[in-house]
């Protein structure tokens, strides 16, 4: 009898040990050496100046698409933006191209190329609505976040969607099998209510759980080449309300655009200063980085916008980068945020480019080497 009891205790211990080890391998996936190096290099770089970036910069621009080694920024100032961002919207459904009609294989190629140039890559995710079948902007139902969390009707389905994102992150490998470190910036602009994960569409607890679940799923899928960025769209007053916590976030950002013609510049500057002041204090105290994850003035109708509005709004603060949104190639859309040859802010952009604190690709050393 005693023997049997010992046997049972032994077997239970072995099973517990195995389960424990299994969990360990799952949860203790640390970031790759390149990802850790990138983070420390970014911290040093923010003392030198702020990098300039643009979304989809090398994929298309005004009047062109899919040309190698081209970008509207480069056509204007002769240099690449130091940061390029890309969007994974529709990857969750296994689509071949994203919501802006760009093939994921081209996005992957451009990410690896920009890494090889030594520049920084950021990734956003305008994920479709898993409950209604609509897009990110479909806010017709307020239970979407709840439905993807553990216990929700769409939880399993959404785990599959997260797996698609993880597969893409894991596929970002050079020919030497180095995994390319990227910034991942999901669940952005949640302080507004225009995305299904926005302010009025879920509770604070649900929003935080969404982040926790996302990062946990990435880790379980072996994603170890990602730094996470948080980017509300509002102002500093409600900045921390839904902050997932320092354990989840590497870079604290914000998305702020100028609207309503030139009179909007005052409001833009004010919001910028308020956010930057708050972030500067918080990040110094907590050893974090901050960035302007999205900014811009559509069609840049102010010829001096770059120096008189953007640069002045940033002042002496130390964001690691400022990124403007895309220059859509369909000219008739008039949806662009950076200058291109002939655009009215072109000359002023060159002045902005030459300023010692604005960093373009040639101003930075390779962000993945320890020479910084
Ligand atoms: C928005 C617009 C849309 C685009 C989306 C994702 O701000 O540019 O046209 O589909 O970003 O890139």
């Amino acid at each position: 009898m005693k023997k049997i009891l010992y046997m049972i205790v032994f077997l239970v211990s072995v099973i517990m040990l195995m389960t424990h080890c299994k969990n360990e391998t799952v949860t203790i996936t640390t970031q790759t050496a390149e990802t850790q190096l990138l983070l420390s290099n970014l911290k040093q770089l923010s003392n030198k100046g702020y990098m300039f970036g643009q979304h989809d910069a090398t994929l298309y621009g005004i009047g062109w698409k899919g040309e190698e080694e081209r970008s509207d920024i480069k056509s204007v100032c002769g240099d690449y933006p130091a940061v390029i961002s890309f969007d994974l919207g529709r990857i969750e459904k296994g689509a071949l191209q994203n919501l802006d009609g760009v093939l994921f294989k081209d996005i992957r190629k451009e990410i690896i190329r920009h890494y090889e140039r030594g520049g920084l890559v950021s990734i956003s995710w305008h994920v479709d609505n898993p409950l209604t079948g609509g897009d990110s902007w479909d806010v017709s139902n307020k239970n979407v976040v709840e439905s993807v969390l553990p216990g929700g009707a769409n939880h399993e389905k959404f785990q599959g969607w997260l797996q698609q994102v993880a597969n893409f992150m894991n596929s970002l490998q050079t020919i030497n099998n180095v995994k390319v470190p990227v910034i991942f910036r999901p669940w952005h602009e949640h302080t507004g209510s225009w995305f299904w994960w926005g302010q009025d569409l879920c509770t604070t607890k649900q929003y935080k759980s969404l982040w926790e679940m996302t990062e946990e799923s990435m880790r379980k899928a072996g994603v170890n080449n990602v730094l996470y960025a948080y980017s509300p769209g509002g102002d500093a007053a409600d900045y921390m309300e839904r902050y997932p916590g320092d354990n989840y976030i590497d870079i604290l950002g914000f998305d702020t655009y100028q609207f309503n013609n030139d009179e909007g510049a005052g409001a833009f500057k004010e919001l910028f200063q308020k956010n930057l002041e708050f972030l500067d204090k918080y990040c110094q105290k907590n050893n974090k980085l901050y960035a302007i994850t999205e900014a811009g003035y559509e069609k840049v109708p102010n010829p001096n916008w770059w120096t008189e509005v953007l640069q002045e709004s940033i002042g002496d603060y130390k964001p690691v980068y400022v990124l403007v949104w895309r220059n859509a190639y369909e000219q008739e859309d008039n949806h662009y945020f950076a200058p291109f040859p002939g655009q009215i802010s072109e000359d002023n952009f060159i002045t902005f480019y030459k300023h010692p604190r604005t960093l373009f690709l040639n101003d930075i050393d390779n962000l993945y080497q320890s020479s910084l």
Side-chain angles (χ1 to χ4, degrees):
M1 185 63 194
K2 225 175 180 183
K3 245 186 181 170
I4 295 177
L5 210 67
Y6 278 140
M7 200 62 176
I8 292 172
V9 170
F10 175 74
L11 278 175
V12 169
S13 311
V14 170
I15 291 168
M16 277 173 71
L17 197 71
M18 281 170 65
T19 333
H20 183 67
C21 288
K22 206 172 145 221
N23 282 342
E24 293 268 280
T25 47
V26 165
T27 47
I28 305 187
T29 323
T30 48
Q31 292 161 321
T32 62
E34 287 80 11
T35 313
Q36 292 175 29
L37 188 57
L38 170 66
L39 188 61
S40 77
N41 283 341
L42 291 177
K43 283 182 180 160
Q44 294 208 27
L45 195 69
S46 58
N47 289 318
K48 188 173 163 192
Y50 50 89
M51 293 188 280
F52 181 81
Q54 192 192 10
H55 188 69
D56 280 353
T58 48
L59 286 167
Y60 53 81
I62 299 298
W64 64 275
K65 190 181 182 185
E67 286 175 42
E68 308 253 307
E69 312 285 334
R70 185 168 173 181
S71 105
D72 283 350
I73 299 286
K74 190 174 161 218
S75 305
V76 166
C77 68
D79 199 357
Y80 285 104
V83 189
I84 306 183
S85 75
F86 300 93
D87 197 276
L88 295 187
R90 304 277 149 82
I91 203 159
E92 64 276 6
K93 292 184 167 164
L96 292 181
Q97 53 184 44
N98 80 354
L99 75 166
D100 296 321
V102 186
L103 289 167
F104 287 112
K105 73 174 174 45
D106 290 344
I107 295 180
R108 183 182 299 110
K109 198 165 78 186
E110 286 306 314
I111 290 175
I112 295 170
R113 218 176 242 172
H114 200 56
Y115 163 80
E116 282 169 345
R117 293 183 193 116
L120 180 66
V121 170
S122 165
I123 294 181
S124 55
W125 188 26
H126 283 87
V127 50
D128 276 354
N129 185 320
L131 191 147
T132 64
D135 61 20
S136 288
W137 292 268
D138 181 352
V139 289
S140 59
N141 187 305
K142 294 195 173 191
N143 301 319
V144 191
V145 173
E146 190 182 20
S147 85
V148 300
L149 293 175
N154 287 308
H155 180 66
E156 285 311 312
K157 172 180 172 180
F158 201 71
Q159 287 300 115
W161 286 17
L162 288 167
Q163 185 65 47
Q164 297 281 4
V165 173
N167 292 347
F168 183 81
M169 299 302 189
N170 285 331
S171 78
L172 299 172
Q173 301 206 18
T174 67
I175 43 165
N176 302 321
N177 297 321
V178 175
K179 270 173 108 172
V180 174
V182 294
I183 294 172
F184 186 34
R185 198 173 68 81
W187 317 129
H188 66 303
E189 298 177 13
H190 65 282
T191 39
S193 296
W194 47 86
F195 293 133
W196 58 256
W197 55 88
Q199 183 73 20
D200 296 340
L201 288 300
C202 59
T203 64
T204 297
K205 193 161 176 258
Q206 287 167 346
Y207 180 78
K208 288 185 181 180
S209 302
L210 184 62
W211 264 99
E212 284 162 26
M213 183 179 80
T214 303
E215 292 200 26
E216 186 58 20
S217 303
M218 293 293 129
R219 262 193 301 275
K220 280 189 180 159
V223 173
N224 52 4
N225 52 332
V226 162
L227 298 174
Y228 292 91
Y230 172 71
S231 45
D235 69 36
D238 48 18
Y239 192 92
M240 293 309 265
E241 190 204 322
R242 297 189 171 195
Y243 182 59
D246 284 351
N247 291 340
Y248 290 91
I249 301 298
D250 301 291
I251 300 171
L252 286 82
F254 64 88
D255 292 7
T256 293
Y257 287 84
Q258 178 177 336
F259 295 106
N260 311 328
N261 66 51
D262 287 343
E263 283 137 44
F268 177 85
K269 271 188 200 171
E270 213 173 288
L271 203 54
F272 246 62
Q273 295 276 318
K274 211 168 145 193
N275 285 342
L276 288 167
E277 188 189 352
F278 168 77
L279 288 176
D280 194 63
K281 271 199 200 119
Y282 184 87
C283 293
Q284 275 196 42
K285 197 166 155 220
N286 298 285
N287 190 26
K288 292 281 172 190
L289 282 167
Y290 61 98
I292 301 152
T293 38
E294 280 185 42
Y297 186 13
E298 194 169 20
K299 296 194 276 288
V300 211
N302 172 353
N304 295 323
W305 192 76
W306 302 101
T307 59
E308 289 181 7
V309 181
L310 186 62
Q311 202 174 312
E312 274 189 29
S313 304
I314 298 174
D316 294 329
Y317 287 111
K318 293 177 172 174
V320 67
Y321 70 83
V322 56
L323 181 136
V324 298
W325 207 239
R326 63 201 194 104
N327 277 9
Y329 50 87
E330 305 93 351
Q331 264 164 296
E332 62 280 8
D333 284 359
N334 269 321
H335 184 53
Y336 60 82
F337 296 86
F340 49 88
Q343 202 274 335
I344 61 163
S345 72
E346 186 183 9
D347 288 346
N348 184 251
F349 188 82
I350 294 171
T351 311
F352 173 78
Y353 163 74
K354 287 181 179 157
H355 192 277
R357 290 202 67 230
T358 58
L359 308 175
F360 287 67
L361 193 74
N362 288 335
D363 302 317
I364 59 168
D365 293 323
N366 190 311
L367 290 173
Y368 310 93
Q369 285 168 10
S370 49
S371 56
L372 282 184

